[in-house]
Amino acid sequence: MEKIKRLFGIVGAALVVAMTIYACDTDSFLSSPAQGTLSSDVLANEDGVDGNLIAAYSMLDGYGNYGGWGTAASNWTFGSVSSDNAYKGSEPGDQQPIADVEFYNWGTSGVDTYVNDKWSSTYDGINRANATLELLASVDEVTGEDRASIEGEAKFLRAHYHFEAWKMWKNIPYYTEEAEDFRKPNTGNNPIQSILADLNDAIELLPTSQSEAGRVTQWTAKAYKGRVEAYTGDWESALSTLREVEQSGPYALRDNFHQVFSASGGNGSETILAYQASVNDGEPGGANGNYPDRLNFPHSGSPFGCCGFHQPSQNLVNAFKVDGGTGLPLPITDPNNWNSDDDNFAAGDMTPVDPRLDWTVGRDGVPFLDWGEHAPGWIRDRGYSGPYSAKKTVWEQGTDAGSSVGWSSFQLHFQNLHLYRYADALLLLAEAEVEVGSLENARTIVNRIRERAGQAAQGPGTSLDNIEVPIDDPAITWANYQVGTYDTPWTSASEAREAVRVERRLELAMEGHRYFDLRRWGIAQETLNNYLDVEETRREYLTGSDGYQERNNLYPIPSVQRELSEVDGESTLEQNPGW
């Protein structure tokens, strides 16, 4: 991990080929040396190959020293604010393109810029992976297991970045190191087939463990393959792949939920793929410290000072309420009334709640890790986007994880960013079990997740030692934490399916998955329009949304990429339907 962090600063300096461009009106770059980069002659050695590979890893957070907040690998804009989990936050007019994403008004020039930033960052990662493979082919001194691992890591990263693009647009071009022209069409190919081929190669090439934390392994590739199979609805394949990961892989749930998001934890048993964040490492702007996510802290009035984006919705907060008798989610036990509470849900309201609520959401009067109680003054504009703050990406005061350099440096930190974790994989396996009819296996998995949720709650937080306490600790005076398991067998696939989906929302809330889940389940339009019908009565600004339409099932292809792909005046990138 230290080597990976040390080399993050080379971002892009080692690239030797370029297939993706961001602002150019000719294709001469294909035959011209890139300005400010090292030549292939200088890099044609083992260190150069490894440097290229680390440059590919460095794009895992989405930041490549260009673009805006849309590049974030956490997908807080495109996967969370676009869903029923979160509002844009902040105040009116600040980062209007994110408001347009929230409104499903994705045809604006602002959203076009944001999606272009996302396109650029994903294809930059692809380019860096391909640069590694191209350079590796010319360097004979890298041999044996080292050569196989580098090739496997690069192919895994190429698959990951393409999958991120596929989640956004589905109709995408797939680039390998053999591509000679970046102007490839995005139709008439099967990117999922290519993604799976790269993952299969990675599985064959990668070792089962690595000496440096942060590098991917054979198990990373297997777990990721199961993810791709689940997202595409290939349930039989996902079942086989993810069962092997569960039964034979090295992963395990952390002892309690907070440990997954603690800056003191680094990589743990639950980490499948994470961005290895780093600060105070010589990078002058703190860019290795989760740069694209730094807006998502409480605003001035809080210990953080900025910036109040990505605020949890009232709908999400209500979803964490549980039945007082069983400890099961109210969306399951009372599906018609669980979302009826319009009021600020603050400390002292003893409505039973899942303890994951206060690991995910900052609420007034409730301790906020070890930073003191969340207070009304921590919110930038409560009348605009509500009283709640995002919490999972905030580090504990006692870890001293913040950066000392960079704009708004307090929000730059060394807490690793999980891109895929074991609980996510288990819940995908539970979905597969449901879809093939193994309801008891699915129930067992969901109960494992819920049992872990009950291991600790937010404590007084006067120090690192008492952030985590038992859920019935007498020091807890602000909430009534309960979490139960499904003790009665599920009798139908529909019952089981809904329980798994609710569990996935609670476990992964504010991690950028929700929109993509709703879309792949085929319920995005119904769910999100129902959400808006109620939520606009709570947050008046949401009345500006025209609602979710069929075209919102895919993000629009960025206009500049379509222009750059033109051959004889015709774009090789076909726009997604409705845009």
Side-chain angles (χ1 to χ4, degrees):
M1 181 167 61
E2 291 306 315
K3 187 172 184 181
I4 287 177
K5 289 181 176 179
R6 232 179 13 250
L7 289 171
F8 269 0
I10 70 172
V11 178
L15 300 186
V16 295
V17 298
M19 293 183 300
T20 306
I21 61 176
Y22 314 114
C24 182
D25 58 2
T26 73
D27 60 2
S28 61
F29 79 100
L30 289 170
S31 57
S32 301
Q35 297 299 307
T37 64
L38 301 176
S39 71
S40 57
D41 292 338
V42 174
L43 295 169
N45 52 59
E46 185 173 2
D47 287 342
V49 173
D50 200 48
N52 266 270
L53 180 60
I54 301 307
Y57 272 108
S58 77
M59 285 304 298
L60 282 175
D61 74 334
Y63 182 67
N65 203 30
Y66 57 81
W69 313 116
T71 65
S74 64
N75 286 315
W76 67 269
T77 295
F78 297 120
S80 192
V81 171
S82 59
S83 77
D84 48 0
N85 276 358
Y87 313 131
K88 173 183 78 73
S90 182
E91 60 189 3
D94 194 357
Q95 296 299 318
Q96 180 59 37
I98 306 178
D100 290 333
V101 171
E102 185 177 19
F103 287 176
Y104 308 110
N105 187 15
W106 298 349
T108 66
S109 60
V111 173
D112 188 51
T113 298
Y114 264 62
V115 295
N116 185 60
D117 289 343
K118 183 69 172 180
W119 182 285
S120 298
S121 68
T122 54
Y123 278 96
D124 192 351
I126 292 163
N127 177 48
R128 295 175 187 213
N130 283 331
T132 302
L133 291 167
E134 184 173 348
L135 186 60
L136 178 64
S138 69
V139 177
D140 294 333
E141 69 183 78
V142 182
T143 60
E145 293 180 356
D146 288 344
R147 189 177 191 87
S149 182
I150 289 172
E151 181 182 350
E153 290 173 75
K155 286 190 173 182
F156 172 87
L157 291 170
R158 183 168 73 188
H160 164 71
Y161 293 126
H162 276 110
F163 184 66
E164 279 294 296
W166 178 85
K167 281 164 54 181
M168 289 283 295
W169 299 285
K170 289 202 174 181
N171 301 304
I172 60 168
Y174 203 95
Y175 292 98
T176 71
E177 73 277 17
E178 297 176 353
E180 296 181 355
D181 190 340
F182 74 91
R183 296 168 299 184
K184 294 183 68 173
N186 61 336
T187 57
N189 62 62
N190 185 346
I192 291 298
Q193 186 178 38
S194 298
I195 289 168
L196 289 172
D198 271 344
L199 290 173
N200 284 330
D201 285 349
I203 290 168
E204 293 298 319
L205 291 162
L206 286 167
T208 56
S209 62
Q210 295 272 20
S211 60
E212 290 185 323
R215 291 186 182 267
V216 299
T217 70
Q218 181 184 107
W219 286 110
T220 316
K222 285 183 179 179
Y224 208 100
K225 178 183 176 182
R227 182 190 208 186
V228 173
E229 290 165 340
Y231 267 68
T232 55
D234 185 358
W235 295 115
E236 291 285 354
S237 297
L239 188 72
S240 176
T241 304
L242 292 172
R243 274 184 178 174
E244 182 187 3
V245 172
E246 180 200 24
Q247 294 168 6
S248 304
Y251 307 113
L253 295 175
R254 299 295 297 267
D255 290 340
N256 70 61
F257 189 71
H258 171 244
Q259 290 176 357
V260 180
F261 306 101
S262 174
S264 63
N267 294 312
S269 61
E270 196 159 333
T271 304
I272 296 176
L273 179 66
Y275 173 76
Q276 306 299 300
S278 172
V279 296
N280 304 323
D281 53 8
E283 206 293 318
N288 299 327
N290 293 303
Y291 199 87
D293 286 86
R294 60 191 169 145
L295 297 186
N296 303 331
F297 285 68
H299 194 47
S300 59
S302 76
F304 309 101
C306 192
C307 292
F309 283 80
H310 195 207
Q311 291 182 230
S313 69
Q314 185 70 43
N315 182 288
L316 176 63
V317 170
N318 288 344
F320 280 99
K321 296 178 181 180
V322 302
D323 180 270
T326 64
L328 294 176
L330 279 187
I332 294 296
T333 63
D334 192 7
N336 296 320
N337 300 298
W338 67 270
N339 190 32
S340 60
D341 190 354
D342 298 333
D343 298 326
N344 177 16
F345 189 48
D349 186 328
M350 293 313 212
T351 300
V353 293
D354 188 310
R356 286 172 292 186
L357 169 65
D358 289 326
W359 295 126
T360 304
V361 176
R363 298 191 295 137
D364 289 344
V366 177
F368 194 89
L369 302 175
D370 57 348
W371 292 99
E373 293 181 358
H374 188 277
W378 290 23
I379 302 294
R380 194 168 190 171
D381 188 340
R382 294 170 73 88
Y384 173 65
S385 53
Y388 310 114
S389 295
K391 197 170 182 179
K392 282 183 174 178
T393 55
V394 177
W395 47 280
E396 305 96 332
Q397 183 177 14
T399 62
D400 196 26
S403 172
S404 61
V405 298
W407 174 77
S408 202
S409 62
F410 217 53
Q411 282 72 260
L412 300 170
H413 56 90
F414 64 58
Q415 179 178 320
N416 291 347
L417 173 66
H418 278 93
L419 304 176
Y420 186 29
R421 59 187 180 92
Y422 188 48
D424 186 347
L426 285 178
L427 289 169
L428 291 174
L429 175 57
E431 285 190 56
E433 299 282 10
V434 170
E435 298 307 325
V436 302
S438 304
L439 304 189
E440 277 301 285
N441 289 349
R443 187 168 70 94
T444 298
I445 292 169
V446 170
N447 282 341
R448 285 173 62 188
I449 301 292
R450 296 188 62 77
E451 286 166 0
R452 194 272 291 274
Q455 295 305 304
Q458 166 75 59
T462 55
S463 70
L464 278 177
D465 293 334
N466 64 3
I467 291 178
E468 304 165 359
V469 299
I471 67 172
D472 57 354
D473 191 290
I476 298 172
T477 60
W478 50 86
N480 175 12
Y481 296 122
Q482 296 183 35
V483 57
T485 56
Y486 291 92
D487 297 331
T488 302
W490 293 326
T491 59
S492 69
S494 60
E495 177 189 11
R497 188 178 294 116
E498 184 62 18
V500 173
R501 289 176 177 181
V502 168
E503 199 62 31
R504 188 166 173 84
R505 184 184 192 189
L506 301 177
E507 177 71 17
L508 302 175
M510 305 295 285
E511 295 182 49
H513 302 297
R514 177 65 171 170
Y515 161 78
F516 300 109
D517 281 344
L518 292 173
R519 189 187 67 188
R520 69 186 175 85
W521 293 333
I523 60 172
Q525 188 165 0
E526 177 185 5
T527 300
L528 295 176
N529 283 331
N530 288 341
Y531 159 76
L532 286 171
D533 286 343
V534 175
E535 213 73 7
E536 68 184 15
T537 68
R538 299 164 173 164
R539 308 288 173 252
E540 184 178 358
Y541 78 95
L542 289 173
T543 59
S545 173
D546 290 333
Y548 190 102
Q549 302 171 45
E550 186 174 355
R551 67 179 184 172
N552 296 107
N553 285 325
L554 295 176
Y555 282 96
I557 305 292
S559 61
V560 67
Q561 300 300 332
R562 297 192 69 233
E563 292 168 5
L564 292 167
S565 76
E566 288 183 1
V567 175
D568 297 330
E570 294 291 332
S571 175
T572 60
L573 295 178
E574 185 176 312
Q575 185 57 274
N576 278 331
W579 300 111

